[in-house]
Amino acid sequence: MLPTLLAAVALSAPVPKAPPIDLSWKFTKGDVFYVTHEFREEISHSAVNTPKLTRTRTETETVVYQVTVSATDDKKRVLQVKFLHGDESDSEEGDKPTAIEGLADRTTTITLDKSGRITAVEPTAKRDGGRTPADELLSESNLRIRLNTLLRAIPGESLKQAETWKADSEDSPNQSPSYVTCIRRNVSGKVGETVDGVTRLTADVSTIYTTHHGETESMRLTDESGKQTVIFDAARGRVRSVEETCALDGLLHTDLFGAEDKVRTILKQTTKITVTDEKPKAKK
């Protein structure tokens, strides 16, 4: 009788709830880690029968960089970012990876607030000898987009399993008096299961990509079905990996020789970011 009674009591006892998980980066002065950022984009137009796969210096490349935490306090974190190597390829040129000229050994300083939001980016010093393909990739706006994909992939607060969060961002990778591009992202995330201190997070990502020439909007691409998966090491306070896919679809308004036209444009983008303690080897 006693064993049966004890078993009944055990079954009726409330199951303790799992405590919240601190889903924020933990930066300690002197920490060093390495990031491999891979981006692939497939571009197709309604006027082309076969989708065109293009790898370019700003839209499709593999870039490896080293991050060193140089300072931390109650208000900010300062990161030194050193680009080690990168390659790009183009299917129209045989799809053979070639090194991104002018990228190796370029450095920049990134300042974050307590929540992990970028507050300042020190432009990378340009090399002697004129402009290189790496200069556009390392512009302040493009650096913010690249780094935010990693640094803002987690909520930056403590949440329990199955809880949700939202985040949004707006960046302008290209901006001049007559040509402005704006990328707006809205992320709706959910905390998944934690196993051995590693938490899986998933998110729906909606994106709006617009381009203006003067006052006229020439292109609007949207995607409401983007997906993101993040693997986060809660014990170390560090993202292990980020994978994201989206398919931007919309119309490009053209004005060729005074004749207006519309072309349907689809951009299928895949981003994969991995963070390691060891320096990745350059591809041969």
Side-chain angles (χ1 to χ4, degrees), residues 149 153 185 187 201-205 226-230 242-244:
T149 306
R185 286 163 43 93
V187 178
L201 303 97
T202 57
D204 295 323
V205 183
K227 299 294 182 182
Q228 184 186 79
T229 300
V230 179
V242 180
E243 292 192 26
E244 182 175 309

Side-chain angles (χ1 to χ4, degrees), residues 75-148:
K75 296 182 179 180
K76 68 178 184 297
R77 291 92 172 90
V78 180
L79 310 180
Q80 302 293 331
V81 178
K82 179 180 181 181
F83 290 86
L84 303 178
H85 53 82
D87 64 73
E88 60 187 2
S89 62
D90 188 330
S91 60
E92 292 185 334
E93 298 178 4
D95 208 24
K96 295 180 180 180
T98 58
I100 300 175
E101 181 185 355
L103 179 66
D105 297 327
R106 298 279 288 274
T107 61
T108 185
T109 301
I110 310 296
T111 303
L112 314 176
D113 63 15
K114 190 176 181 179
S115 68
R117 188 180 299 274
I118 296 175
T119 58
V121 176
E122 178 184 295
T124 59
K126 294 183 180 180
R127 291 185 168 184
D128 296 334
R131 187 173 179 82
T132 67
D135 291 332
E136 184 176 353
L137 186 151
L138 298 178
S139 68
E140 179 179 345
S141 55
N142 281 325
L143 281 172
R144 284 177 177 269
I145 293 172
R146 181 181 301 279
L147 294 167
N148 270 327

Side-chain angles (χ1 to χ4, degrees), residues 1 16 25 72 103 128 135 151 159 184 221-222 242 244 273:
M1 175 65 76
W25 285 84
T72 62
L103 179 66
D128 296 334
D135 291 332
L151 297 171
L159 296 174
R184 182 168 184 82
L221 305 178
T222 62
V242 180
E244 182 175 309
I273 303 173

Side-chain angles (χ1 to χ4, degrees), residues 60-76:
T60 309
E61 75 283 307
T62 298
V63 174
V64 178
Y65 57 94
Q66 172 186 306
V67 179
T68 303
V69 182
S70 61
T72 62
D73 58 34
D74 292 338
K75 296 182 179 180
K76 68 178 184 297

Side-chain angles (χ1 to χ4, degrees), residues 170-183 208-221 251-253:
E170 186 171 309
D171 297 285
S172 297
N174 299 297
Q175 189 165 358
S176 68
S178 61
Y179 175 72
V180 178
T181 297
C182 180
I183 301 175
I208 301 175
Y209 183 109
T210 58
T211 297
H212 286 75
H213 287 117
E215 299 297 325
T216 304
E217 182 180 278
S218 59
M219 181 168 62
R220 174 176 287 267
L221 305 178
L251 294 177
L252 169 64
H253 297 258

